[in-house]
């Protein structure tokens, strides 16, 4: 009982620290063009949720991102709950939650208008159900078929899982759910074949952090040699295989399918601690030193994400920043409002973003190209000018 109480204490301490960091990051972000499009013209779950939240709480960054922040912590708890039964020690489950809360890709989607959160949530619920009851919740699979196209890979994974366990009903129903998902969302495969294998792996390195991604690959390989593999292994392996295969001919939107890879965290933790604990303390250096290196790189990558705004001072021009599309617009809108300007005409992407902050289309023109006799609107981050816009007739 004491061990369980201690685990929950550390878990909610991690939640508190993560919440503080994410709230600070939220205060620095501006709506991106893709988020603005989804907000004003909802086509997916995330768009409807953000629009509904804004209707209740008002149209601002906090209401836009609050549902996804809440879903993020729900997912962190589900990860802890799943790992608590999957692993032998409750402290290992807390460590799973810590890894989840530190992953750069997870923290990025915790605040963005994206379906990634609901994909992680429903897939974790599926894995928890299968682990606890040793049955498949077909009602949940039906819901998943209508939520997001990423779940097509979950249905493929269930087919392989059913083949391994000789469950004919699961195989045929998973095929049916896959067909239903494809009918609802489809999948675009077209254009001239081009290789994006290195690009896709580069994105995955950023989502996990470089060393942790390498350990993720090693973990999938080690579990491949087992006679019966858990469902979470099938899901992560199918998702990775799909990304790799498709990237050989076209660009892959890894943000749609990478959430399914995150589910392998308990596998990585189990493999590491199993190897560590069977060795005497004097022989554990070959495990602890790589672990410390991996953890430090993970902290560095996460720190760069949370310090996205301060990092603008290190870039010669703002558009070289890795997260440029998630900044600037809010400050431009605030500067326009302070000048009493409520309408401008500018390029399409910035126009859509400014619309969210109450700047409608019309009136003065707004450009980032210098103009004679134009009203200058400089944007400063930490006393460094990161952009200048010009308003003119």
């Amino acid at each position: 009982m004491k061990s369980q109480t201690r685990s929950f204490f550390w878990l909610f301490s991690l939640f508190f620290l993560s919440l503080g960091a994410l709230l600070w990051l939220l205060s620095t972000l501006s709506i991106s063009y893709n988020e603005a499009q989804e907000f004003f013209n909802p086509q997916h779950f995330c768009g409807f949720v953000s629009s509904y939240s804004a209707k209740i709480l008002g149209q601002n960054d906090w209401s836009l991102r609050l549902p996804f922040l809440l879903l993020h912590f729900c997912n962190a708890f589900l990860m802890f709950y799943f790992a608590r039964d999957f692993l032998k020690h409750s402290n290992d489950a807390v460590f799973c939650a810590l890894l989840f809360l530190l992953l750069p890709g997870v923290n990025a989607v915790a605040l963005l208008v994206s379906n990634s959160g609901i994909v992680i949530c429903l897939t974790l619920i599926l894995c928890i159900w299968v682990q606890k009851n040793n049955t498949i919740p077909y009602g949940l699979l039906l819901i998943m078929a209508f939520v997001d196209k990423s779940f097509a890979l979950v249905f493929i994974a269930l087919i392989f899982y059913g083949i391994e366990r000789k469950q004919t009903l699961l195989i045929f129903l998973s095929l049916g759910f896959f067909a239903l998902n494809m009918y609802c969302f489809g999948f675009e495969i077209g254009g001239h074949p081009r290789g994006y294998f290195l690009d896709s792996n580069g994105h995955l390195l950023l989502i996990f952090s470089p060393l942790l991604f390498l350990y993720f690959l090693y973990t999938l390989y080690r579990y491949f040699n087992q006679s019966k593999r858990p469902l979470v292994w099938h899901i992560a392996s199918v998702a990775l295989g799909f990304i790799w295969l498709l990237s050989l001919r076209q660009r892959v939107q890894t943000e749609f399918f990478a959430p399914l890879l995150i589910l392998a965290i308990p596998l990585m933790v189990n493999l590491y601690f199993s190897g560590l604990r069977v060795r005497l303390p004097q022989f554990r250096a070959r495990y602890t030193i790589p672990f410390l290196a991996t953890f430090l790189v993970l902290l560095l990558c996460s720190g760069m994400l949370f310090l996205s705004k301060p990092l603008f001072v290190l870039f010669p021009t703002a558009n070289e920043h890795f997260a440029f599309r998630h900044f600037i617009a809010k400050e431009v809108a605030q500067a326009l409002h302070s000048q009493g300007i409520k309408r401008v005409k500018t390029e399409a992407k910035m126009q859509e973003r400014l619309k969210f902050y109450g700047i409608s289309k019309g009136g003065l023109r707004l450009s980032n190209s210098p103009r004679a006799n134009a009203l200058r609107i400089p944007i400063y981050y930490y006393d460094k000018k990161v952009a200048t816009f010009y308003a003119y007739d």
Side-chain angles (χ1 to χ4, degrees):
M1 191 67 180
K2 284 185 178 180
S3 175
Q4 187 176 12
T5 302
R6 187 168 57 249
S7 296
F8 278 106
F9 169 78
W10 286 114
L11 178 68
F12 286 103
S13 297
L14 293 174
F15 282 9
F16 180 77
L17 293 173
S18 179
L19 177 63
L22 286 169
L23 289 177
W24 184 86
L25 180 60
L26 190 159
S27 69
T28 67
L29 294 177
S30 299
I31 192 171
S32 70
Y33 172 64
N34 290 336
E35 289 176 318
Q37 277 195 315
E38 188 62 45
F39 177 80
F40 290 113
N41 302 288
Q43 301 293 323
H44 303 95
F45 171 84
C46 58
F48 291 109
V49 168
S50 59
S51 297
Y52 185 71
S53 176
K55 287 179 182 178
I56 297 174
L57 302 174
Q59 189 168 305
N60 53 64
D61 284 301
W62 296 92
S63 64
L64 177 75
R65 307 191 188 281
L66 180 61
F68 307 100
L69 182 62
L70 296 176
L71 188 57
H72 168 69
F73 286 104
C74 174
N75 289 339
F77 183 79
L78 287 173
M79 177 61 73
F80 167 79
Y81 188 77
F82 173 57
R84 192 176 60 171
D85 287 338
F86 187 83
L87 305 173
K88 297 177 181 178
H89 301 270
S90 58
N91 288 337
D92 295 355
V94 176
F95 187 71
C96 280
L98 173 62
L99 281 184
F100 182 85
L101 293 171
L102 282 177
L103 285 184
V106 171
N107 283 307
V109 301
L111 296 176
L112 301 183
V113 180
S114 163
N115 272 2
S116 297
I118 193 64
V119 169
I120 295 173
C121 180
L122 294 181
T123 312
L124 275 173
I125 292 173
L126 170 65
C127 293
I128 290 170
W129 183 283
V130 172
Q131 180 175 267
K132 282 192 166 294
N133 303 297
N134 201 29
T135 59
I136 303 296
Y138 293 107
L140 177 61
L141 298 186
L142 180 62
I143 294 172
M144 293 165 70
F146 291 102
V147 172
D148 190 80
K149 64 182 178 182
S150 305
F151 289 123
L153 301 187
V154 175
F155 300 138
I156 294 175
L158 284 168
I159 292 172
F160 287 112
Y161 181 79
I163 293 171
E164 183 180 277
R165 283 164 170 73
K166 299 178 181 178
Q167 297 182 16
T168 307
L169 178 63
L170 174 60
I171 296 170
F172 283 103
L173 286 179
S174 296
L175 279 170
F177 289 130
F178 174 78
L180 179 60
N181 185 268
M182 286 293 97
Y183 176 79
C184 293
F185 298 101
F187 191 83
E188 184 178 348
I189 298 179
H192 298 289
R194 294 182 61 185
Y196 289 96
F197 185 78
L198 294 180
D199 288 356
S200 296
N201 280 282
H203 292 157
L204 295 176
L205 286 171
L206 294 176
I207 289 169
F208 278 92
S209 80
L211 295 181
L212 192 61
F213 179 63
L214 295 178
Y215 193 72
F216 163 76
L217 298 179
Y218 174 70
T219 300
L220 294 186
Y221 164 73
R222 284 291 302 273
Y223 273 87
F224 175 76
N225 294 321
Q226 293 188 2
S227 58
K228 281 196 174 183
R229 296 168 286 266
L231 175 59
V232 66
W233 180 89
H234 286 277
I235 293 173
S237 298
V238 166
L240 180 65
F242 178 83
I243 291 171
W244 277 357
L245 286 174
L246 197 63
S247 67
L248 295 175
R249 76 162 319 277
Q250 69 183 60
R251 187 182 298 277
V252 181
Q253 293 176 299
T254 52
E255 63 272 17
F256 287 121
F257 308 108
L260 299 176
L261 305 179
I262 305 301
L263 303 175
I265 289 176
L267 299 180
M268 292 189 284
V269 173
N270 184 49
L271 182 64
Y272 173 74
F273 283 117
S274 296
L276 181 69
R277 289 180 176 128
V278 296
R279 286 164 174 79
L280 295 172
Q282 60 266 35
F283 299 114
R284 292 179 179 178
R286 63 186 292 264
Y287 277 81
T288 54
I289 293 174
F291 166 79
L292 290 175
T294 302
F295 198 73
L296 287 174
V297 172
L298 175 60
L299 288 176
L300 178 63
C301 292
S302 295
M304 289 179 63
L305 175 68
F306 286 109
L307 297 175
S308 294
K309 186 174 181 178
L311 285 176
F312 269 92
V313 302
L314 302 179
F315 290 85
T317 57
N319 57 7
E320 294 179 7
H321 191 282
F322 59 88
F324 173 70
R325 61 179 179 167
H326 295 287
F327 289 90
I328 306 295
K330 178 168 60 178
E331 289 78 11
V332 173
Q334 290 171 345
L336 291 172
H337 281 299
S338 69
Q339 296 287 341
I341 300 172
K342 305 297 182 184
R343 300 194 306 155
V344 295
K345 288 182 286 187
T346 185
E347 55 92 14
K349 290 187 176 181
M350 181 60 77
Q351 190 81 62
E352 193 78 358
R353 299 175 72 191
L354 292 177
K355 180 181 175 182
F356 179 80
Y357 297 107
I359 303 295
S360 57
K361 187 174 183 178
L364 297 176
R365 294 184 179 276
L366 184 72
S367 171
N368 57 4
S369 301
R371 299 277 179 168
N373 302 320
L375 173 65
R376 296 178 71 254
I377 303 174
I379 305 298
Y380 289 91
Y381 283 175
Y382 302 98
D383 298 324
K384 178 184 177 179
K385 187 191 295 183
V386 295
T388 304
F389 290 83
Y390 301 86
Y392 57 95
D393 291 322

